Amino acid sequence: MVICSRKDKIDSLLSWAMSSSQDLPSFYESSALVKGGDPGRHSKQALLQGSGFISIVKRYANNALANIILSDLAVMKKNGVELEGEKLLTKDFKLAFILFQRLNSSCEDVVKFMRDRYQIREVAALCKCYISIAAGYRINESINIGEMDNNTLCSLLNAATLKAKQMFQRESKLRAIK
């Protein structure tokens, strides 16, 4: 999915997966996690814990979009960030924030999951975009998310989500005024 670098196509696939019916293996697992109760809509369940076909599709599509963002950052680091780069970085930051929200997990749960299992590309994309914007649209590729302690990473994620909410809430208010 990453090879095509077509965010729109991957986002369409992800939208279809989010709006589709939940597959039975995933439903049974979700139902067991809530001790036999109604697990609710699968689009609201934690993406980190899910199994089943739809959950796997959502995870891979989310991951593919995060990888595209990280490759965009690498290109911007190589070529420099000009006006077009600033626009792309802002778009990528918004997308990284959406991808992080789709995980449907708290910062603490995400950090714990990363320490127990593996690196989450959505977290790396969000943090690197945030740090680049906070640094005045300068790309810093040397930041290693995996080497941060839990508190530092959780604080960085909280700061990134707060900045994204502020930026994009202001953007939607400006659109409403026009």
Side-chain angles (χ1 to χ4, degrees):
M1 280 193 275
V2 178
I3 294 172
C4 72
S5 292
R6 299 280 309 270
K7 291 178 192 173
D8 57 331
K9 301 294 183 191
I10 298 170
D11 201 39
S12 294
L13 173 67
L14 192 52
S15 294
W16 293 335
M18 295 295 277
S19 63
S20 69
S21 299
Q22 187 173 17
D23 56 295
L24 283 177
S26 177
F27 174 77
Y28 289 138
E29 180 187 29
S30 305
S31 181
L33 287 173
V34 293
K35 298 181 178 25
D38 180 14
R41 291 187 41 86
H42 70 93
S43 62
K44 300 293 182 197
Q45 296 167 2
L47 196 54
L48 299 176
Q49 304 297 333
S51 64
F53 179 72
I54 299 296
S55 294
I56 291 170
V57 168
K58 290 190 295 187
R59 251 331 265 136
Y60 275 101
N62 227 29
N63 193 16
L65 287 170
N67 282 327
I68 292 171
I69 292 169
L70 292 171
S71 71
D72 285 349
L73 289 172
V75 168
M76 282 187 267
K77 172 71 175 171
K78 181 180 168 189
N79 298 341
V81 180
E82 295 175 5
L83 185 60
E84 287 298 315
E86 286 184 19
K87 288 178 183 176
L88 178 61
L89 183 56
T90 303
K91 278 184 177 178
D92 281 350
F93 183 49
K94 185 175 187 175
L95 178 58
F97 176 62
I98 291 168
L99 296 177
F100 181 75
Q101 285 183 315
R102 283 183 184 151
L103 295 176
N104 291 323
S105 299
S106 68
C107 294
E108 293 81 13
D109 291 341
V110 169
V111 170
K112 184 179 180 331
F113 184 84
M114 286 176 63
R115 298 300 181 230
D116 293 344
R117 300 212 176 108
Y118 62 92
Q119 190 74 17
I120 300 174
R121 306 297 284 173
E122 294 90 330
V123 170
L126 179 63
C127 290
K128 288 183 178 188
C129 284
Y130 167 69
I131 290 169
S132 298
I133 288 173
Y137 291 91
R138 289 188 305 267
I139 309 298
N140 188 344
E141 282 286 305
S142 64
I143 297 164
N144 189 348
I145 305 298
E147 292 179 359
M148 292 182 182
D149 64 74
N150 291 2
N151 291 334
T152 305
L153 183 54
C154 201
S155 296
L156 182 60
L157 282 171
N158 284 326
T161 55
L162 182 65
K163 175 72 172 175
K165 286 176 185 175
Q166 289 171 347
M167 281 178 71
F168 305 123
Q169 185 178 36
R170 190 175 331 127
E171 182 182 290
S172 63
K173 284 181 182 177
L174 288 175
R175 265 194 239 125
I177 292 171
K178 291 178 182 180

